[in-house]
Amino acid sequence: MKKTITAVLAGGALLLTASPALAETAGPTLGPYGYGTVKLGMSAAKARATGRIMLKRRVGAFGCAGYDLRAFPTGRNNVGVYVSKRVGVAVILARKGMRTPRGIGLGSTMRQVKRAYPGLRTAPSGFRFVTVPGNPRAYYAFLQSKGKVRQLVLALDRQDCVN
């Protein structure tokens, strides 16, 4: 990994520190297989057994139930995780503070996204997406506003819950 070296003169001593060129995240990251112990493809029962999700909406017309990550509750009419009857945990929507392993999160600039994910493509609907490095069965979707990520999604390629 490419590193940036910083030199600081402090009290007559030269201090050297190294930091990654792309910010790495502390704690659980969004991807490549899920968020913490909640993994893409995990059944609803197994996901509930982690103790990390809570039901918000029962199974709807598309056969998917809406959950929230306990650590990141959403507003009244939103959910943070979709679980499909057919494929299990299908979609995880980023909340403030979540980051991909390459340091991208809500508020990141699209320039940062393009640098972190050079394979970024545009769907016919206009949203930007990329196959998740390390998991060819998943993708990140980036919805932007004014050049910044306003929504970040980690989803299975075969998810059947959202457009």
Side-chain angles (χ1 to χ4, degrees), residues 59-79:
V59 174
F62 293 107
C64 296
Y67 290 81
D68 269 349
L69 291 164
R70 286 190 188 281
F72 296 96
T74 61
R76 180 181 173 124
N77 295 316
N78 296 308
V79 299

Side-chain angles (χ1 to χ4, degrees), residues 36-102:
T37 57
V38 178
K39 304 295 183 191
L40 292 173
M42 181 182 270
S43 71
K46 286 183 179 179
R48 283 191 305 270
T50 67
R52 305 279 186 197
I53 65 170
M54 58 188 176
L55 182 64
K56 295 241 345 226
R57 293 187 191 147
R58 299 219 178 269
V59 174
F62 293 107
C64 296
Y67 290 81
D68 269 349
L69 291 164
R70 286 190 188 281
F72 296 96
T74 61
R76 180 181 173 124
N77 295 316
N78 296 308
V79 299
V81 178
Y82 284 99
V83 180
S84 163
K85 280 185 168 183
R86 189 174 62 82
V87 301
V89 174
V91 177
I92 302 172
L93 293 100
R95 304 295 295 163
K96 186 176 181 180
M98 288 184 183
R99 299 243 174 242
T100 71
R102 295 187 179 178

Side-chain angles (χ1 to χ4, degrees), residues 4-5 11 15 34 41 82 88 97 125 131 134 155 157:
T4 305
I5 306 296
L15 301 174
Y82 284 99
S125 61
T131 299
D157 277 343

